Amino acid sequence: MTTTASPAAPPAPTAAGGAPTAPGAPATAPPAHPTSGWGSTPRGLRTWGALAAVVTALTGLFGVLAVSSQSLAVDDARDAAAQLVGLQDARNQLVAADAAATTAFLVGGLEPVELRTRYDAAVDAGAQALTSLAATGPDGADGLAAVSADLTRYTGLVEQARANNRQGFPVASAYLEEASAVLRDDVVPALDALVAAEQQQVDDEIATARFAAPMVVAVAVLALVVLALVQVWVARRTRRTFNVGLVAATVAVVLVGAVGGAVLGGAGARAAQVRDDAYRATVQTSQAFALVNDARSQEAFTLIRRGSGASYEETFRANVADARTALERDGVRLDGSLVDRLDAWVAAHDEVRQRDDDGDWDGAVAFVTSDDPGAPPALFDALSGALAAAVDAGGQQVADGLRPAGAWLGWALLAVGGAGAVLAWTGLRPRREEYR
C-alpha cells in the first residue's frame, strides 16, 4: 500500500533580527519617528528647545542694548545742543560787543560809560564762552583756537580806533571798519561753521534715538517667527498642540517687543518733538539775535560814513529781513512779541535815516544815542533783552526735553527675556524625559 506525503508547512514568521515569533503573535509596527540619531525626536527636542531659549534670551539682550544705545544718542544730542547754544551765545556776545563799540564811536572823544561797559562785558563773556567750549567740545578745539586768535586781533583794532577817535583822527573809522570786518568775515563764519557741525550731530543722534524702537520690534517679530516654527515642530512630534514653556517664552518676546517698542518709541518721538519745536526755535531766535546786533553796527556805520553809507544801510535791511524770517519761519516762536519789538526798533531806525537824509546828521546822531524810551537805544535794548531771554529759556527747554528712557527699561527687558529663555528650555523637559 502506498502512502502520500503531506505538504510542507509554511515557515514560521520571524521577528526583527531573524528570531522566530510565536504563531499567532502580532507583528510590531515600526516607530513613527526615530528615537536616536541626528533626526531623532530627543535630539530635536534638545536642539529646538535650545534654539527657542537662545532666541528669547537674545531678544531681551537686544532690548537692553537698544535702550543703552538710545540713551547714549539722546545724551549726545543734548550735549551737542548745549554746545551749539553755547557757540551761538559766544557769537552773539561778540556781535553785541561790536554793536556797542560802533554806537559808542558816534559820540566821539570819550565813549559813554554805559556803552564802554557793555562792550567790555560782552567781549569778556564771549572770550570766556570760547574757552569753556574749547574745554567741553574737543572736536572743535582747533577752530575755537583760531576764533580766539581772531578775537584778539579784533579787540586790538577796536582799541586803535578808540585811541584815534579820542584825538579826532579820521583814520579811527578805518580801524573800526577793519575790526568789524574781522568779526564779520573771520570770527562769525568760523563760529557758524562749528554751529552747523553741532546741528548736524544733533540731527544724527536724534535719528539714531528714533531707530531704537523699530529695531526692537523687528527683532521681536523675528523671534516670534522662530518660536512659532519650534512650536509647530514640537506639536507634530509630541502630538500636543501647545507647550506651556514655549507659550511663556512667546509671551515674554511679545512683552519685550511691545513694551520696549512703546517706551523707546515714545522717547524717540519726544526727542524729535523737542528738536522740531524748542530746539529749532532756540536756534532761529539766537540767529535773529546775532542779525539784529549786526544790523545795529550797520546802523552806526551809515552815520559814521557821513553820506556814503548806502551799502551799510542795505546790509541793515537784509539783516532785519533775515531776522524777521527767522522769528516767523513756520510760525515757530518762543515769544510772540519778538517781531513786534523788532518792528518798533526798525521804525525808530527809519526816523534816524529820515533825519540823516534830510541833512540833519547831528540830529540823527543825537537820536540814535538818546536815552529817550522811544529812541533806538532803548528799543534795541528791549529787543535784544527779549531775544536773549528767549534763547536762554529755549536752551533750558531743550535740556529738559532731551531725556532718554529710564535705565530700568533695559534691565526689565533683559529680565523678561531671560525668564522666557528659562521657561522655553524647562518647558520641554517633560517631553525629553519621555525618551530616557
Side-chain angles (χ1 to χ4, degrees):
M1 182 173 119
T2 62
T3 59
T4 304
S6 301
T14 59
T21 60
T28 303
H33 302 289
T35 58
S36 63
W38 286 101
S40 67
T41 299
R43 179 176 292 277
L45 288 171
R46 288 192 296 271
T47 301
W48 287 95
L51 177 62
V54 169
V55 166
T56 306
L58 287 177
T59 303
L61 179 60
F62 188 86
V64 73
L65 292 177
V67 172
S68 176
S69 174
Q70 186 188 72
S71 297
L72 182 61
V74 173
D75 288 342
D76 288 345
R78 186 174 61 252
D79 292 342
Q83 188 80 354
L84 182 149
V85 172
L87 287 166
Q88 288 188 316
D89 180 63
R91 178 199 62 191
N92 294 346
Q93 292 289 351
L94 298 179
V95 175
D98 190 60
T102 52
T103 303
F105 190 88
L106 285 171
V107 178
L110 293 175
E111 307 98 325
V113 175
E114 180 183 355
L115 289 174
R116 173 73 190 203
T117 302
R118 184 178 301 179
Y119 167 84
D120 290 338
V123 168
D124 289 343
Q128 291 175 5
L130 292 176
T131 301
S132 176
L133 291 168
T136 58
D139 292 341
D142 293 339
L144 290 173
V147 170
S148 296
D150 289 331
L151 177 59
T152 300
R153 186 156 59 100
Y154 166 78
T155 55
L157 290 168
V158 169
E159 291 306 318
Q160 288 180 297
R162 280 175 167 167
N164 283 278
N165 191 39
R166 291 190 191 102
Q167 301 178 61
F169 296 155
V171 73
S173 61
Y175 279 117
L176 188 63
E177 286 184 281
E178 185 178 356
S180 290
V182 169
L183 188 71
R184 291 192 304 272
D185 298 340
D186 297 330
V187 174
V188 171
L191 290 175
D192 285 343
L194 294 174
V195 165
E198 295 295 341
Q199 192 163 8
Q200 184 62 50
Q201 183 175 355
V202 171
D203 292 338
D204 292 344
E205 296 297 346
I206 290 180
T208 300
R210 299 201 69 182
F211 190 62
M215 284 301 299
V216 168
V217 173
V219 169
V221 169
L222 290 176
L224 289 175
V225 171
V226 173
L227 289 175
L229 293 175
V230 173
Q231 292 183 80
V232 169
W233 186 92
V234 171
R236 289 178 175 177
R237 288 299 179 98
T238 64
R239 300 295 190 269
R240 291 173 175 84
T241 304
F242 295 106
N243 179 274
V244 175
L246 292 177
V247 171
T250 301
V251 172
V253 170
V254 170
L255 285 175
V256 171
V259 176
V263 177
L264 291 175
R270 186 169 58 251
Q273 188 69 29
V274 171
R275 176 198 59 193
D276 295 338
D277 291 342
Y279 167 75
R280 182 180 178 187
T282 301
V283 171
Q284 292 177 188
T285 305
S286 181
Q287 185 68 26
F289 182 95
L291 288 166
V292 298
N293 274 275
D294 186 60
R296 194 186 189 198
S297 296
Q298 306 306 314
E299 178 183 58
F301 275 118
T302 60
L303 296 173
I304 291 171
R305 297 293 296 186
R306 287 180 176 262
S308 59
S311 61
Y312 294 105
E313 176 64 14
E314 291 176 2
T315 304
F316 174 93
R317 296 295 176 183
N319 285 347
V320 168
D322 290 342
R324 181 176 286 105
T325 299
L327 295 175
E328 293 181 334
R329 184 176 300 165
D330 296 336
V332 177
R333 299 183 188 177
L334 292 179
D335 186 341
S337 68
L338 294 175
V339 174
D340 293 338
R341 294 179 184 275
L342 176 62
D343 290 339
W345 175 60
V346 172
H349 168 80
D350 291 340
E351 185 175 346
V352 172
R353 294 305 323 137
Q354 185 63 47
R355 294 186 183 188
D356 187 30
D357 292 341
D358 290 343
D360 185 10
W361 184 88
D362 291 331
V365 171
F367 187 54
V368 86
T369 57
S370 171
D371 294 333
D372 189 277
L379 295 174
F380 177 82
D381 289 344
L383 170 62
S384 181
L387 289 170
V391 171
D392 290 342
Q396 189 59 51
Q397 289 179 19
V398 172
D400 293 341
L402 289 178
R403 297 293 178 185
W408 64 268
L409 175 63
W411 296 113
L413 297 181
L414 183 61
V416 171
V422 172
L423 293 172
W425 177 253
T426 58
L428 291 175
R429 181 180 297 169
R431 306 288 78 78
R432 294 193 297 268
E433 294 291 339
E434 293 174 356
Y435 291 87
R436 289 192 175 183

